[in-house]
Amino acid sequence: MKHFRKTSFPLDEIRRFLEPGPVVLVSSAWKGETNIMTLGWHMVMGFEPSLLGCYISDANHSHVMLRKSRQCVINLPTADLLDTIVDIGNCSGAEVDKFERFGLTAVPGTHVDAPLIRECYANFECRLHDGGQIRRHGIFIWEVVKAHVATSPKLPETLHYRGDGEFMVSGKAISRRSKFKPENL
Amino acid sequence: MKHFRKTSFPLDEIRRFLEPGPVVLVSSAWKGETNIMTLGWHMVMGFEPSLLGCYISDANHSHVMLRKSRQCVINLPTADLLDTIVDIGNCSGAEVDKFERFGLTAVPGTHVDAPLIRECYANFECRLHDGGQIRRHGIFIWEVVKAHVATSPKLPETLHYRGDGEFMVSGKAISRRSKFKPENL
């Protein structure tokens, strides 16, 4: 698997990677246990602070770990990890040590106790910004407090879930920067 | 502009189009006025009922119209509408009749008063499922109550925003259906 060289990335610009809707891997740690879940239900909610909303059902083994620890890492995998992503989403952390099972490397975070997944293109360390919507709506509102992003390639090839076992791989880039008002970029 | 032939689509399968993270156009109607806004900050939140969470700042002219009418249509544009999407996002409904300015056709909804945009690949009629998170978090939780989807092509070419005026166009499709547990599809 690829090992990316990473650098710190401005928190107010991480939407570049998350807003297009890629499948992400959410890693967590609680009481000596770690876990990873595959997630496609997330949205950007702001730049400063850098907020991300995630819908995470309590049917996931990660749910309690995330709610109790109030921390996670949102990891951005690339298309070559497709089978790993699918397999992570089709087993439970209640039965499997996912780092060990899938040969992934847990790297200590600098701002949170949850581990970064080394084999992912980017790692966003998050603290729970507001947990008030978890019980009623399943919405975790995270603040990204540290971003580690690969120095190359500039744009990763990401995976986007369509349901029913089907994915879309990110395609070509188009800029319309010149048509935007600066405040709308 | 393209005029798609559409058919009714199962509500519990619309994630096929929205979960990959495309930019959408949100149309609304309130007190005789209609409006359209460009939105990339949304996430799937369930199948049955079919729920969609959207972060919509009160800086948008649409915000009050959506909050008061408690209805909208989420329209899915294809890549050929790129310039229209950008232009819609860079002017305000307070000053412009966006249907007229951009030559878009307002089609009456069957379940809501907000208009469908005929030139879009799909139209999802929505009613506000829970407005309790609007004032504090800007989150509108919509229930999709009727879906109209083009009969062809099977998969639309969608646009995904990266910030800073840059877009990603949806790429190739890959299936891993055989690797999923049925309950995880």
Side-chain angles (χ1 to χ4, degrees):
Chain A
M1 282 185 280
K2 284 183 192 170
H3 283 196
F4 296 98
R5 182 177 175 178
K6 293 170 193 169
T7 187
S8 183
F9 197 84
L11 299 180
D12 60 344
E13 294 179 24
I14 64 154
R15 69 186 295 202
R16 180 167 191 76
F17 304 105
L18 295 176
E19 187 167 333
V23 169
V24 297
L25 296 173
V26 182
S27 49
S28 51
W30 179 243
K31 290 193 172 177
E33 183 190 353
T34 62
N35 198 20
I36 310 174
M37 69 172 286
T38 302
L39 177 78
W41 295 10
H42 59 79
M43 63 177 173
V44 173
M45 289 182 61
F47 305 125
E48 288 178 317
S50 181
L51 300 179
L52 191 69
C54 296
Y55 177 90
I56 299 173
S57 155
D58 59 9
N60 292 286
H61 185 67
S62 293
H63 181 98
V64 170
M65 298 174 64
L66 295 166
R67 186 157 50 78
K68 296 280 191 186
S69 67
R70 302 173 65 85
Q71 298 184 343
C72 76
V73 179
I74 307 281
N75 304 273
L76 182 63
T78 42
D80 53 295
L81 289 178
L82 173 58
D83 288 307
T84 301
I85 290 165
V86 172
D87 291 343
I88 286 174
N90 281 279
C91 65
S92 172
E95 294 154 12
V96 175
D97 176 331
K98 297 197 188 182
F99 277 96
E100 186 181 343
R101 164 79 69 93
F102 299 108
L104 298 170
T105 313
V107 177
T110 56
H111 289 58
V112 301
D113 293 327
L116 285 60
I117 302 175
R118 185 177 172 185
E119 290 78 8
C120 286
Y121 175 90
N123 315 99
F124 305 112
E125 299 187 37
C126 300
R127 289 201 195 109
L128 195 61
H129 175 76
D130 192 311
Q133 316 312 316
I134 296 175
R135 285 191 189 273
R136 184 164 177 196
H137 293 294
I139 301 175
F140 289 72
I141 302 179
W142 300 107
E143 179 179 348
V144 181
V145 293
K146 179 71 184 176
H148 312 264
V149 174
T151 53
S152 172
K154 192 179 168 198
L155 295 174
E157 193 177 41
T158 48
L159 292 161
H160 302 251
Y161 193 52
R162 284 197 169 112
D164 211 34
E166 297 187 8
F167 294 82
M168 177 269 282
V169 183
S170 60
K172 65 180 178 185
I174 302 180
S175 179
R176 284 294 184 279
R177 198 176 198 287
S178 61
K179 295 191 74 175
F180 277 70
K181 291 179 183 171
E183 65 270 28
N184 293 341
L185 280 168
Chain B
M1 280 185 279
K2 283 185 193 169
H3 284 196
F4 296 97
R5 182 177 175 179
K6 293 171 193 169
T7 187
S8 183
F9 198 84
L11 299 180
D12 60 344
E13 293 179 25
I14 64 153
R15 68 185 295 200
R16 180 166 191 76
F17 304 106
L18 295 177
E19 187 167 332
V23 169
V24 296
L25 295 173
V26 182
S27 49
S28 52
W30 179 243
K31 291 193 172 177
E33 183 190 353
T34 62
N35 198 20
I36 310 173
M37 69 172 287
T38 302
L39 177 77
W41 295 9
H42 59 79
M43 64 176 171
V44 174
M45 288 181 61
F47 305 124
E48 289 178 315
S50 181
L51 300 179
L52 192 69
C54 296
Y55 177 91
I56 299 173
S57 155
D58 59 9
N60 293 286
H61 184 68
S62 294
H63 181 97
V64 170
M65 298 174 64
L66 296 166
R67 186 156 50 79
K68 296 280 190 187
S69 67
R70 302 174 65 86
Q71 298 183 344
C72 76
V73 179
I74 308 283
N75 304 274
L76 181 64
T78 42
D80 53 295
L81 289 178
L82 173 59
D83 289 307
T84 300
I85 290 165
V86 172
D87 291 343
I88 286 173
N90 281 279
C91 65
S92 171
E95 294 153 12
V96 175
D97 177 330
K98 298 197 188 183
F99 277 96
E100 187 181 341
R101 164 78 68 93
F102 299 108
L104 298 170
T105 313
V107 177
T110 56
H111 289 58
V112 302
D113 293 326
L116 285 60
I117 302 175
R118 185 176 173 186
E119 289 77 8
C120 286
Y121 175 89
N123 315 99
F124 305 112
E125 298 187 37
C126 299
R127 289 202 195 108
L128 195 61
H129 176 75
D130 192 313
Q133 316 313 316
I134 296 175
R135 286 191 189 274
R136 184 164 178 195
H137 293 294
I139 301 175
F140 289 72
I141 302 178
W142 301 106
E143 178 180 349
V144 181
V145 293
K146 179 72 184 176
H148 313 264
V149 174
T151 53
S152 172
K154 194 180 168 199
L155 295 175
E157 193 178 40
T158 48
L159 292 162
H160 302 249
Y161 194 51
R162 284 198 169 111
D164 210 34
E166 297 186 9
F167 294 82
M168 177 269 283
V169 183
S170 60
K172 66 180 177 185
I174 302 180
S175 179
R176 284 295 184 277
R177 198 175 197 288
S178 61
K179 295 190 75 174
F180 277 70
K181 291 181 184 171
E183 65 270 25
N184 293 341
L185 279 169

